[in-house]
Amino acid sequence: MSVNTSSHTERRIVFLIIFLAVMVPLIFPIGWGSEVSPIARMSYDLIDETPAGKYGLISFDYEASTITELQPMAVAQIEHAWSKGQKIIATALWPQGPQMAEASFAEAKRNPAYADKEYGVDYVNLGYKVGGIVTLQAMGSSIRDVYPKDSSGKNWDDLPMLKGIRTLKDLAWVSSLSSGVPGLKEWVMIAHDVHNVPVTGGTTAVSAPGFLPYVNDQKQLHGLLGGLKAASEYEMLIDKKGPATTKMDAQSVAHIVILLLITLGNITAFRRKRAKANLTGGQNA
Amino acid sequence: MPDLMNTIGIWLAAFFTFCIFSFLYRDNPFYKLAEQIFVGLSAGYGLIYVVYSTMVPNLFAKLSQDFSGNLILLIPFALGLMMLTRIYPKTQWISRYPISIVIGTSAAISVMRSLKTDLLLQVGATIINPFQGSTASEISGNLLVIIGTLCGVYFFYFSKKQEGLAKIPSKIGVYFLMVSFGATFGYTVMARISLLIGRLEFLRKDWLHIIN
Amino acid sequence: MKHIYYLLIVLLLLQSAMLWANTTSSFTISDKPWDKGEALILNWNLPDGYDRLNLQKADSLMVYQDMELDEPLVSGFVDDNLDPDETYHYRLIAYNDALADSIFIEAQGQPKENWFYMHKLSFLLLFLILGSAIVFYVMAARRGKDFYIRRISGLDSMEEAIGRATEKGKPILFVPGISELDDIQTIASLSILGQLAQRAAEYNTEIIVPCRFAMVLSAAREVVKEAYLKAGRPDAYREDRIFYLTDDQFGYVAGIDGIIVREEPAANFFLGSFYAESLILAETGLSTGAIQTAGTANAHQLPFFVVSCDYTLIGEELFAASAYLSRDAQQVGSLKGHDFGKLLVILLIVVGIILEIAGQGWFKSFLMGAGS
Amino acid sequence: MKRNIPLILAFVSGLIVIFSEFIPHRPFSSIVDSLQEWFMIISGFAMLLGVMSLLRMNAAKVSTRSPDWQYHLIGIISFGLMVLMGALWGMEEQAGILGQGASISAWLGKKPFDYTYTHVFVPLSATLFSLLAFFIASAAYRAFIIRTLESNLLMIAAVIVILGRTGFGTMLTGWLPESYRFWHLPNLADYIMQYPNTAAQRAIMISAALGVIGSGLRIILGIERSYLGGDK
């Protein structure tokens, strides 16, 4: 299939172009973003329309391997909720979840606007509990019984913001950032289907199609963020040039550059063919 | 101290990242260095990993804790030792016993798995009523799946010269293959660019601390 | 006074006996057939008038515990994930809310291991048909029947590739994929290696085989040694050219890349099971100008070989290659058996679709082993 | 004898696996799982052979001072270092010969084996993997050329899917009215992935399955025996 016997120099130029196409947008973000899809906006609206002082719960149901896609969603949702004056409870159905939560809160606090957010007052990290759906069922009758202590071992009563919280019903919204089972599906089944708490969430791009059926008339899922693209859309909605936007910029630039390279390759091949035809023509004459 | 060592670690990682990237320009001493370190380290890693994750828990720990209850494990143990007879040319033939058992069982496992997941389930998935779709694009898509699968399977038919009429379905099969190859290629671009983003993000954030 | 008591008791008993006769409640437990002994089927029959049901199972201390149920109880339930030959006790409780009354019935059962998976019947039939077709054609070939195989261009080029390497005085690189010996693709690759090594031996061209797994290494050495023997040049066999690199996927690739750019083989063969590394290998090989032949049954990697190699064996062509190259009657016969399988598949699909359109779903459900 | 017994072993073990596929009764029902565990153990032993091959090859290069022998020496050292660190202090929670190595872990921040893994092995592996980004671009540049009908189909499908995966594609066809939704690039890309692509993948899978079945049966029946080598 190799028609263009492209020289080494040509290859190296292509490599350099790709390197720059990815590196430059990472250092100098463009903030292109893309058209916001309706279901990503729905997810945004849920947090956006919740009044100040209410509680949101983010469940960190992923581990380090899917951090690229899910972490930016977590950070964006935390910043969004804080900007609206809401309080955030972090839980996890995956063992590595509490670390993911901690990293996300730290990242969000790096934004000067939220540097003063205080642990125990504006957010808590309750930690990981084994059991999946059974744990969620138990949280339906008492969150405190499931989490007598937070992830660092502090007692529930020593965390002032938890005073107003008894069961899942006391939450204004739940968001599960989920890379598998248990995760988003279990939250929909318990928090939404049983307790009628609005549930939204984020997944990797690969598993997003499987959740689309839940974004239906009953709003089993109140919108969904699927992959890096949706994460960048969310960042655009909260007016933030975050990591997802940057990475998505790099992706878009690289894709366009590859398309340009294909065009260029065709032009070169066409020229070569013509040069060759001229040459043989010359010989015949 | 751990902080300093961590910084050194990041510099090491950055150094090796550049060593590998340098291969894109041409083979060079840095790549040769990285390549040999990579091969050596990974072979060592593999050996240690297998000892800690398979040999100890699945064999040695079981045998030392409850020897009589795990007598059956002496079979793989013996077969494994027989593999080692390859070290001496004279005893090499003994290693054919474990190899033949491994190949016999895995051939049968593969036959069963392929028959079930790749043949039976795929055939079943193609048996659809194409007109059941609700939209024109769904119906046309169903028809494409059926035609493409049938012609594609026929493309691999070896017992007949593919000429005249027999050539047509096989040609159509090739067209489907080409569309699929192109589409898969295009679909993979994003995942591959992501890998590069990952590496460059490491260089930018962890190594150079450029925050934007 | 005592008599009245007795009378009352007798009356009560009579009444309940009559109730019993009228309503015939039943609760039966039977083994789920055709399985590993992991499930019991619970069936019950209750008269009308009960509002809700509750199902309990005895734990190891014979204390009845409520069962966690995913679906509402109607007239039956299948309890799975059980252990074979254990006895399980169940209690069904029916409540009548209006009368604040309830009854319970107890029953027990034992899951049994059976001797056949009935839902795999279609699977077994297909296996028997394909298996006997292959054996039949192999036998026919043994008796001397000649079968035709159409051209496979990727394989015709093999001689050309070896010839080119000989001319240039450069070695041939053969990569048997990155899977262990338990992948049939690896074995198919090794039997191509046998053919190739024999020709290389005849041409007196060196062949390099880096392996990712030690067992593949052992088998590859046997195969190549045998090929040199067949070619009548056992002295030319060099064991150190068939070697192990590392078990790590990318470590292995780094090593091969080094070989490609330093030894500059004139012909590269990538045959077997490949994953993400396919494009790295093929593009590096392309940069040295080697003739490249690739082949894999991993459909997702084929595009990358197709764009960067001169010839690509697609899917089954990899398995057909050894028969094609060796013209060994038995292998050709077995290939004929695969072709029979293809016609059978086409027939099954066409018949199935016609029946689906006609609204006859039984064929598909039988084939897929549904209802299990 | 040296040849026939292995063939009988392959035949018998293959047959047991085939029976176990259809028989839910013990011992057949659990046989495949244990055989796979055995396989891991056998290949664990075999690894020693591989390591010996690697060391022997590198040692030969070093002792004959063949070109680049210094690098092969470094290869041997890297291997030895990794094995030594793993053996002495273990990896992750696993203790080595010298126990958990608390003091050295405190100094390094991790166990030496894990430190090397994180800071050398992982970056090497990830960077080599990331070379694909470059190669996929150069392959696209070189191979997606308008020529024959086949290569055009390859190229067009690739271009549509690449466009459909980014915001750029949405922009290009976003102006098309709703009734032409099908022609929006993201939808078109999905359509290609969902239908023609599925068909081709299925055809490859089905026919390759037949190849696996045929080759597997040949092995079990002892017709395919190249893996055993010669008679000696």
Side-chain angles (χ1 to χ4, degrees):
Chain A
M1 274 271 161
S2 48
V3 227
N4 274 2
T5 38
S6 56
S7 67
H8 285 274
T9 329
E10 236 174 295
R11 269 167 73 91
R12 286 171 192 153
I13 294 171
V14 170
F15 294 159
L16 185 67
I17 291 173
I18 282 297
F19 183 83
L20 293 176
V22 178
M23 193 68 185
V24 172
L26 288 179
I27 298 179
F28 307 103
I30 313 170
W32 261 347
S34 48
E35 218 174 304
V36 178
S37 69
I39 60 167
R41 179 175 287 278
M42 208 168 143
S43 180
Y44 166 85
D45 287 344
L46 175 62
I47 298 180
D48 207 57
E49 286 159 9
T50 301
K54 294 270 184 191
Y55 295 85
L57 183 144
I58 301 179
S59 184
F60 289 79
D61 308 329
Y62 62 96
E63 56 185 18
S65 60
T66 44
I67 211 164
T68 333
E69 289 179 274
L70 298 179
Q71 193 94 318
M73 297 178 191
V75 176
Q77 283 182 336
I78 292 169
E79 290 192 16
H80 187 202
W82 278 348
S83 75
K84 293 278 159 189
Q86 300 160 19
K87 297 175 190 299
I88 302 168
I89 300 171
T91 61
L93 298 177
W94 284 44
Q96 280 188 26
Q99 284 160 265
M100 304 294 122
E102 204 173 307
S104 306
F105 283 121
E107 177 77 33
K109 279 174 79 170
R110 224 176 273 167
N111 183 337
Y114 311 114
D116 58 340
K117 291 290 172 186
E118 208 181 317
Y119 187 83
V121 178
D122 301 295
Y123 69 103
V124 289
N125 184 2
L126 291 181
Y128 161 71
K129 278 285 176 293
V130 71
I133 196 160
V134 184
T135 309
L136 300 190
Q137 274 168 337
M139 285 167 78
S141 41
S142 165
I143 301 181
R144 192 198 160 140
D145 286 354
V146 178
Y147 287 105
K149 288 174 195 293
D150 74 353
S151 60
S152 58
K154 275 200 189 116
N155 282 324
W156 174 281
D157 295 318
D158 298 337
L159 299 162
M161 68 171 262
L162 294 176
K163 284 226 163 61
I165 294 287
R166 267 189 46 248
T167 73
L168 289 180
K169 278 205 180 76
D170 300 317
L171 300 168
W173 51 266
V174 167
S175 167
S176 163
L177 304 173
S178 150
S179 65
V181 177
L184 187 50
K185 195 171 164 191
E186 283 68 26
W187 278 107
V188 170
M189 283 162 67
I190 302 301
H192 177 273
D193 295 357
V194 180
H195 301 287
N196 229 350
V197 180
V199 175
T200 185
T203 67
T204 56
V206 180
S207 47
F211 282 100
L212 287 182
Y214 293 103
V215 189
N216 48 22
D217 294 344
Q218 291 101 48
K219 288 203 175 154
Q220 280 184 292
L221 253 182
H222 205 293
L224 176 73
L225 304 175
L228 199 59
K229 194 156 176 269
S232 77
E233 291 168 16
Y234 204 105
E235 283 178 356
M236 199 167 88
L237 285 168
I238 62 167
D239 219 6
K240 175 191 178 196
K241 267 190 208 171
T245 312
T246 325
K247 287 177 191 162
M248 206 56 211
D249 284 347
Q251 283 284 5
S252 303
V253 174
H255 276 73
I256 292 169
V257 163
I258 287 177
L259 288 169
L260 290 176
L261 283 173
I262 294 175
T263 321
L264 197 70
N266 274 288
I267 296 170
T268 325
F270 183 71
R271 280 217 184 127
R272 277 200 189 126
K273 210 165 103 187
R274 228 177 38 186
K276 215 173 161 188
N278 284 343
L279 203 67
T280 43
Q283 275 169 341
N284 282 343
Chain B
M1 206 58 189
D3 285 343
L4 175 67
M5 293 317 285
N6 189 43
T7 311
I8 293 177
I10 286 171
W11 278 81
L12 268 176
F15 171 72
F16 285 114
T17 303
F18 283 116
C19 285
I20 298 286
F21 277 149
S22 75
F23 182 69
L24 289 170
Y25 183 68
R26 54 186 264 180
D27 192 28
N28 64 73
F30 289 105
Y31 179 75
K32 284 180 196 170
L33 178 78
E35 174 206 316
Q36 283 306 320
I37 291 181
F38 194 5
V39 170
L41 275 190
S42 60
Y45 174 81
L47 188 66
I48 292 292
Y49 183 81
V50 162
V51 168
Y52 285 133
S53 73
T54 306
M55 304 306 273
V56 170
N58 293 7
L59 182 68
F60 298 126
K62 279 187 184 169
L63 282 177
S64 66
Q65 280 157 14
D66 178 14
F67 186 78
S68 52
N70 288 305
L71 277 181
I72 191 98
L73 284 178
L74 290 179
I75 301 175
F77 194 5
L79 291 172
L81 290 176
M82 282 160 110
M83 273 311 291
L84 296 182
T85 61
R86 286 199 67 84
I87 296 169
Y88 305 105
K90 279 231 167 110
T91 52
Q92 274 190 0
W93 62 273
I94 300 176
S95 70
R96 287 179 185 170
Y97 292 6
I99 289 189
S100 59
I101 291 178
V102 163
I103 291 192
T105 49
S106 46
I109 292 174
S110 306
V111 166
M112 291 298 143
R113 201 187 293 146
S114 299
L115 186 56
K116 188 161 52 187
T117 54
D118 292 351
L119 201 135
L120 202 56
L121 291 182
Q122 295 302 323
V123 167
T126 316
I127 299 181
I128 43 171
N129 179 356
F131 307 107
Q132 234 163 25
S134 53
T135 60
S137 75
E138 219 173 297
I139 292 172
S140 67
N142 287 341
L143 288 170
L144 279 182
V145 167
I146 292 169
I147 295 168
T149 308
L150 292 176
C151 294
V153 170
Y154 185 76
F155 165 78
F156 291 102
Y157 193 72
F158 297 113
S159 319
K160 195 162 162 48
K161 238 195 197 119
Q162 300 198 327
E163 53 187 14
L165 272 181
K167 203 175 169 180
I168 298 170
S170 152
K171 230 11 197 193
I172 296 175
V174 172
Y175 296 152
F176 272 91
L177 288 180
M178 288 301 148
V179 169
S180 158
F181 291 163
T184 310
F185 190 104
Y187 197 78
T188 317
V189 170
M190 187 169 262
R192 298 305 180 234
I193 300 292
S194 291
L195 298 170
L196 183 58
I197 292 178
R199 279 333 282 158
L200 297 185
E201 280 288 85
F202 160 76
L203 291 178
R204 177 178 75 86
K205 270 169 53 184
D206 300 339
W207 183 51
L208 294 175
H209 300 289
I210 302 176
I211 312 279
N212 38 45
Chain C
M1 215 33 207
K2 239 181 187 176
H3 290 91
I4 295 170
Y5 275 132
Y6 284 135
L7 197 66
L8 268 173
I9 290 170
V10 168
L11 272 173
L12 262 171
L13 276 174
L14 259 175
Q15 195 198 0
S16 47
M18 274 167 74
L19 256 176
W20 182 252
N22 278 341
T23 53
T24 57
S25 314
S26 70
F27 182 36
T28 56
I29 292 183
S30 52
D31 173 47
K32 186 169 177 235
W34 317 114
D35 77 342
K36 272 173 147 170
E38 288 180 325
L40 286 171
I41 300 175
L42 282 61
N43 275 309
W44 54 84
N45 202 347
L46 293 172
D48 295 339
Y50 290 105
D51 304 298
R52 54 203 169 83
L53 296 171
N54 190 12
L55 196 57
Q56 294 181 324
K57 181 157 94 177
D59 61 16
S60 53
L61 302 170
M62 280 305 289
V63 178
Y64 283 94
Q65 307 279 0
D66 281 357
M67 291 178 70
E68 272 182 28
L69 305 169
D70 303 330
E71 50 202 296
L73 294 168
V74 185
S75 66
F77 177 74
V78 177
D79 192 17
D80 45 20
N81 277 329
L82 305 174
D83 291 324
D85 297 332
E86 292 278 321
T87 305
Y88 292 89
H89 301 263
Y90 295 88
R91 178 189 274 172
L92 181 75
I93 310 168
Y95 299 93
N96 184 326
D97 288 336
L99 298 174
D101 188 18
S102 67
I103 61 160
F104 72 82
I105 320 174
E106 284 177 3
Q108 66 182 54
Q110 213 179 34
K112 288 278 175 215
E113 287 175 303
N114 304 110
W115 286 97
F116 187 64
Y117 284 113
M118 191 47 103
H119 67 278
K120 288 190 179 172
L121 182 60
S122 61
F123 183 25
L124 178 64
L125 287 176
L126 200 61
F127 173 70
L128 290 177
I129 293 171
L130 284 175
S132 24
I134 289 169
V135 171
F136 171 79
Y137 283 109
V138 168
M139 291 300 200
R142 264 193 186 174
R143 283 194 305 270
K145 189 152 172 39
D146 218 14
F147 292 116
Y148 170 84
I149 312 181
R150 74 163 164 85
R151 280 192 61 220
I152 302 177
S153 54
L155 292 170
D156 288 340
S157 66
M158 216 168 248
E159 298 271 345
E160 177 204 337
I162 300 172
R164 177 116 82 103
T166 314
E167 252 167 54
K168 285 184 157 178
K170 293 272 184 189
I172 296 168
L173 174 72
F174 187 97
V175 182
I178 66 157
S179 278
E180 230 327 0
L181 211 50
D182 64 343
D183 190 325
I184 302 268
Q185 291 188 59
T186 310
I187 296 173
S189 167
L190 289 178
S191 67
I192 302 172
L193 173 64
Q195 309 290 332
L196 201 70
Q198 198 179 331
R199 284 178 179 65
E202 286 159 5
Y203 283 91
N204 200 13
T205 296
E206 210 180 358
I207 186 161
I208 307 175
V209 188
C211 300
R212 184 184 166 196
F213 292 105
M215 272 209 268
V216 178
L217 170 75
S218 306
R221 281 185 171 164
E222 293 279 7
V223 166
V224 176
K225 195 157 79 182
E226 166 80 356
Y228 273 74
L229 206 67
K230 268 194 197 155
R233 313 208 48 228
D235 49 307
Y237 169 65
R238 284 183 59 193
E239 193 174 78
D240 60 332
R241 298 306 264 163
I242 305 159
F243 50 87
Y244 165 90
L245 278 174
T246 164
D247 272 42
D248 180 69
Q249 183 184 10
F250 290 108
Y252 180 60
V253 173
I256 297 177
D257 267 7
I259 294 167
I260 292 177
V261 293
R262 265 158 249 150
E263 308 232 7
E264 294 194 331
N268 296 338
F269 292 91
F270 306 118
L271 299 170
S273 181
F274 286 90
Y275 293 86
E277 68 289 337
S278 60
L279 189 66
I280 302 182
L281 295 174
E283 279 286 305
T284 310
L286 188 114
S287 72
T288 65
I291 296 192
Q292 305 203 89
T293 309
T296 183
N298 297 354
H300 46 96
Q301 292 306 325
L302 280 165
F304 306 108
F305 279 144
V306 167
V307 298
S308 301
C309 292
D310 301 277
Y311 303 97
T312 307
L313 300 178
I314 299 170
E316 206 214 334
E317 293 179 336
L318 178 71
F319 299 105
S322 145
Y324 186 85
L325 288 173
S326 66
R327 301 282 163 177
D328 169 60
Q330 302 190 56
Q331 296 206 25
V332 173
S334 131
L335 193 58
K336 193 79 191 164
H338 309 178
D339 272 359
F340 168 82
K342 279 163 227 165
L343 293 184
L344 182 70
V345 161
I346 293 175
L347 184 78
L348 285 175
I349 293 179
V350 170
V351 169
I353 289 173
I354 292 170
L355 286 171
E356 280 294 304
I357 295 174
Q360 305 286 317
W362 56 269
F363 182 74
K364 184 176 175 179
S365 36
F366 171 70
L367 208 60
M368 305 275 277
S372 62
Chain D
M1 160 79 180
K2 285 179 185 174
R3 179 113 193 193
N4 284 338
I5 292 182
L7 288 180
I8 294 170
L9 285 175
F11 177 73
V12 173
S13 46
L15 219 54
I16 293 174
V17 172
I18 291 172
F19 277 127
S20 72
E21 180 69 38
F22 299 102
I23 303 178
H25 205 286
R26 274 174 293 191
F28 293 99
S29 50
S30 57
I31 219 159
V32 172
D33 291 339
S34 19
L35 281 175
Q36 276 171 338
E37 196 186 310
W38 291 12
F39 180 84
M40 280 162 62
I41 293 173
I42 298 173
S43 88
F45 277 102
M47 211 163 171
L48 283 177
L49 292 174
V51 165
M52 284 174 68
S53 152
L54 179 74
L55 291 179
R56 200 178 288 169
M57 185 184 74
N58 282 329
K61 288 210 166 126
V62 173
S63 63
T64 58
R65 297 284 189 275
S66 58
D68 292 336
W69 65 272
Q70 305 90 332
Y71 300 103
H72 291 277
L73 182 63
I74 293 175
I76 297 178
I77 296 172
S78 314
F79 171 82
L81 207 65
M82 201 67 179
V83 171
L84 194 70
M85 290 187 300
L88 291 183
W89 301 286
M91 60 180 283
E92 290 164 7
E93 293 91 45
Q94 301 272 2
I97 301 166
L98 299 183
Q100 295 285 7
S103 57
I104 195 161
S105 303
W107 185 71
L108 265 181
K110 278 192 181 87
K111 287 188 178 181
F113 185 88
D114 297 332
Y115 182 85
T116 320
Y117 175 76
T118 320
H119 293 299
V120 183
F121 182 97
V122 171
L124 280 169
S125 185
T127 313
L128 206 93
F129 198 5
S130 77
L131 293 184
L132 280 168
F134 299 99
F135 289 142
I136 209 166
S138 74
Y141 168 71
R142 194 191 57 248
F144 291 154
I145 303 293
I146 299 174
R147 218 163 10 118
T148 57
L149 179 55
E150 278 98 338
S151 61
N152 294 356
L153 284 171
L154 186 80
M155 183 188 89
I156 293 165
V159 168
I160 290 175
V161 175
I162 293 175
L163 277 172
R165 299 269 286 166
T166 53
F168 192 60
T170 326
M171 245 156 59
L172 270 182
T173 46
W175 52 273
L176 281 170
E178 193 54 29
S179 51
Y180 289 93
R181 273 202 65 194
F182 177 78
W183 299 102
H184 283 211
L185 277 166
N187 297 337
L188 206 56
D190 284 346
Y191 185 85
I192 293 176
M193 287 306 291
Q194 201 182 343
Y195 299 112
N197 176 53
T198 303
Q201 301 276 327
R202 219 171 250 172
I204 295 173
M205 279 164 85
I206 290 174
S207 58
L210 287 164
V212 171
I213 294 163
S215 311
L217 285 178
R218 285 208 302 267
I219 291 167
I220 296 165
L221 297 175
I223 297 170
E224 163 73 63
R225 51 178 85 170
S226 60
Y227 63 93
L228 288 176
D231 284 307
K232 285 215 208 132

